[in-house]
Amino acid sequence: MTAFWTEPDFDDHEHVQLVRDRASGLTAIIALHSTHLGPGAGGTRYWHYPEPKDAIRDALRLSRGMSYKNAMAGLPMGGGKAVILADKSGEKTQALLEAFGDTVNALGGRYVTAEDVGISEADMVTVSTRTRYVSGLPVSGENAAGGDPGPFTAMGIYHGIKAAVQHKLGKSSMDGVHIAVQGTGSVGSGLARLLARDGAKLTLADIHADRAAGLARELGGEAVSTDTIMGVQCDVFSPNALGAILDDEGIARLQAPIVAGGANNQLARQGHGAKVAERGILYAPDYVINAGGIISVAMEYLAKRQGEPSDINEVRKRIAKIPERLQEIWQQSEETGVSSDAVADGMAQKLIGR
């Protein structure tokens, strides 16, 4: 068996922990990539992994991405991630979530968790009964930020797509711009509604076909199968489901001049960003464009530590800076001939002292 710390995705992680709690059935992996800028912050993913090696790979890649994401967003937070290994039934119990909360608490604040795929706001409330190192909790008050980070993630992607359309296509309006949205969960559906409001033409796909079809009817778009969405001829392909879709085959199928979406780790491997660039496709590095959610979560957590409510206007102001970061990356990429993902990685690594 190969040691995980010899794998390409093990990028000098500071801490990788396997957690087993027999009583609740919890099996989880917590990975802290870097705490150079502050406690490792990143959500918890609840997912069924047919192959256990995929779980450790996910934890390592996602936690590294969080280091880069938080650094590029200007947050005083490091990068961490947790994955809870679900069984085939997907049953999620209160005891399991409480056991996970105990594990997070035992790290003493080195890791701050929140929602990710398969974990809800209500789940985080349960986790918070066992640890204070949690964010993404329900808030009250018109100007208070917090709770489900999905809408904030969607807002950042929306701003990023508009910047990409302006940069690549020279269009200042989204009216009539064709966006193919892969994934219509919390983030993808929120993004689609924002784009529809601006008059964009939408093609939607989701593993839950009825969900995509319903959203398409609501917004006047078209629903297609998940097998065909990557090959749709459009202006922007926006991946908002799971990652590693931009492999050799996926890149070859693209019929869009722009890739900009919220899925984490869209590039399957190092070198795939260069292949996207070789095709003349403008790529928005995922951890830059999808930072809206962690901005909300981090501001909520930091304000709570100071005994203050998080100001939604400050969150919106920080999210509105996402296009500026993307423009800086794209400009440097064009000046140097280095793909945008590599440019962004270099910037992030410098920020975290790597």
Side-chain angles (χ1 to χ4, degrees):
M1 179 178 177
T2 304
F4 71 83
W5 54 87
T6 65
E7 294 295 316
D9 293 313
F10 183 75
D11 184 39
D12 282 335
H13 276 68
E14 295 179 10
H15 178 96
V16 181
Q17 178 181 9
L18 172 68
V19 182
R20 277 288 295 149
D21 180 72
R22 292 180 62 187
S24 67
L26 173 69
T27 302
I29 299 167
I30 297 178
L32 297 178
H33 177 256
S34 169
T35 56
H36 180 77
L37 296 176
T44 295
R45 176 165 293 190
Y46 185 80
W47 195 253
H48 174 60
Y49 295 92
E51 295 292 335
K53 64 181 180 181
D54 294 336
I56 185 67
R57 181 182 297 121
D58 226 9
L60 294 174
R61 295 195 76 189
L62 289 166
S63 58
R64 178 179 59 200
M66 291 308 304
S67 285
Y68 291 3
K69 183 185 300 190
N70 293 335
M72 292 292 277
L75 297 169
M77 308 292 278
K81 205 77 175 186
V83 297
I84 297 176
L85 282 68
D87 60 23
K88 289 183 179 181
S89 72
E91 183 181 1
K92 187 173 28 176
T93 66
Q94 179 177 340
L96 181 144
L97 292 170
E98 289 174 345
F100 178 72
D102 290 338
T103 299
V104 171
N105 198 58
L107 289 171
R110 291 188 67 204
Y111 172 55
V112 179
T113 193
E115 297 96 319
D116 196 77
V117 175
I119 293 288
S120 68
E121 191 175 344
D123 294 333
M124 281 296 105
V125 171
T126 301
V127 172
S128 73
T129 63
R130 308 303 279 258
T131 182
R132 60 178 176 163
Y133 306 116
V134 58
S135 194
L137 300 173
V139 294
S140 59
E142 185 177 344
N143 292 317
D148 179 11
F152 296 100
T153 303
M155 178 60 71
I157 299 164
Y158 165 73
H159 285 309
I161 287 177
K162 290 203 297 181
V165 167
Q166 173 70 52
H167 187 90
K168 182 70 175 180
L169 306 180
K171 296 183 178 181
S172 58
S173 169
M174 295 301 295
D175 190 27
V177 175
H178 187 182
I179 319 289
V181 179
Q182 181 189 49
T184 57
S186 173
V187 172
S189 63
L191 171 64
R193 290 186 175 96
L194 291 170
L195 293 168
R197 185 187 63 185
D198 285 357
K201 176 183 177 182
L202 297 175
T203 301
L204 311 173
D206 194 275
I207 56 172
H208 302 289
D210 56 341
R211 183 165 68 186
L215 187 62
R217 285 193 298 271
E218 174 193 333
L219 302 178
E222 178 188 6
V224 299
S225 72
T226 54
D227 293 335
T228 60
I229 188 69
M230 287 192 72
V232 170
Q233 190 165 356
C234 57
D235 296 307
V236 181
F237 171 63
S238 184
N240 296 282
L242 295 179
I245 57 165
L246 295 177
D247 54 14
D248 291 344
E249 180 183 356
I251 294 168
R253 293 175 60 197
L254 291 172
Q255 298 296 319
I258 298 168
V259 174
N264 288 310
N265 297 320
Q266 294 166 27
L267 299 169
R269 281 293 165 199
Q270 188 175 11
H272 282 130
K275 291 190 175 184
V276 172
E278 286 168 6
R279 290 203 54 201
I281 297 170
L282 182 70
Y283 174 65
D286 47 44
Y287 57 79
V288 179
I289 194 172
N290 70 9
I294 192 61
I295 289 171
S296 171
V297 164
M299 298 301 291
E300 174 193 340
Y301 179 75
L302 294 170
K304 183 171 61 177
R305 298 287 286 174
Q306 297 171 358
E308 301 173 355
S310 178
D311 183 359
I312 196 169
N313 294 316
E314 179 63 25
V315 172
R316 288 170 176 160
K317 189 185 304 181
R318 286 174 176 260
I319 291 174
K321 293 181 180 179
I322 287 174
E324 297 176 20
R325 298 188 187 96
L326 290 170
Q327 291 286 5
E328 182 181 359
I329 291 165
W330 292 330
Q331 182 176 349
Q332 186 171 325
S333 175
E334 290 163 1
E335 291 174 352
T336 62
V338 177
S339 60
S340 60
D341 65 301
V343 169
D345 286 355
M347 291 179 175
Q349 287 161 0
K350 185 175 181 180
L351 289 169
I352 66 171
R354 298 279 179 108

